[in-house]
Amino acid sequence: MSQDRRIKAILFALFLLSTPLAHSLDLSKIPFYIKEKEIRVEVARTPEERALGLMGRKHLGKEEGMLFIFESEGYHGFWMKNTLLPLSIAFIDKNGRIVDIKDMKPLTLDSHSPSQPVLYALEMNKGWFSANGIRAGDIVRFSK
């Protein structure tokens, strides 16, 4: 292999390694229900999946989101570091009740935390919750 090709191969390998891992994770999409709306969510269960979240994504489907599941209730905070999409987040308690909905700006380090302990968080495209009449107090379900 020529020196030039070797350098290109190394640069290409470095590029692949620098691409956010969220694209390579094979997170399953499951149905999720809020009021009469059915959405498809990727589930982030592990600390690694939750840490990556939607970082690096350039597109999120209209009725798609990411559900974060935590091991225990808490004041789980979120930021938008390396997240390109404007998102809204619903913080959900152990009973499936939405306690807060907040909008988040892309590529910021602002912390977004719930007003009370939660077990779940659901990220959707910014404005999705308000556009669908979903607000704090509504109940989410894993089945119809």
Side-chain angles (χ1 to χ4, degrees), residues 11-62:
L11 290 174
F12 182 70
L14 289 173
F15 168 76
L16 290 177
L17 290 173
S18 69
T19 303
L21 293 176
H23 293 292
S24 64
L25 290 176
D26 184 22
L27 300 179
S28 59
K29 287 186 184 174
I30 63 166
F32 196 71
Y33 304 89
I34 308 174
K35 291 188 172 181
E36 64 279 348
K37 294 292 292 183
E38 178 179 327
I39 58 176
R40 305 287 295 173
V41 296
E42 293 179 51
V43 181
R45 293 179 185 94
T46 68
E48 295 79 19
E49 291 169 347
R50 290 191 302 265
L52 289 173
L54 293 170
M55 284 183 184
R57 303 279 182 95
K58 294 181 180 175
H59 176 75
L60 184 62
K62 184 178 175 185

Side-chain angles (χ1 to χ4, degrees), residues 87-125:
L87 300 171
S88 293
I89 187 168
F91 292 101
I92 305 164
D93 70 14
K94 67 181 178 183
N95 299 315
R97 187 178 61 83
I98 297 174
V99 299
D100 296 298
I101 297 173
K102 299 183 179 186
D103 291 335
M104 303 187 295
K105 292 181 182 178
L107 303 171
T108 62
L109 298 179
D110 300 336
S111 181
H112 304 278
S113 298
S115 59
Q116 62 191 58
V118 297
L119 194 57
Y120 311 98
L122 174 63
E123 289 181 340
M124 299 291 289
N125 284 308

Side-chain angles (χ1 to χ4, degrees), residues 60-75:
L60 184 62
K62 184 178 175 185
E63 302 296 325
E64 295 180 348
M66 181 169 277
L67 178 66
F68 296 81
I69 301 176
F70 298 96
E71 287 86 13
S72 61
E73 284 185 287
Y75 292 90

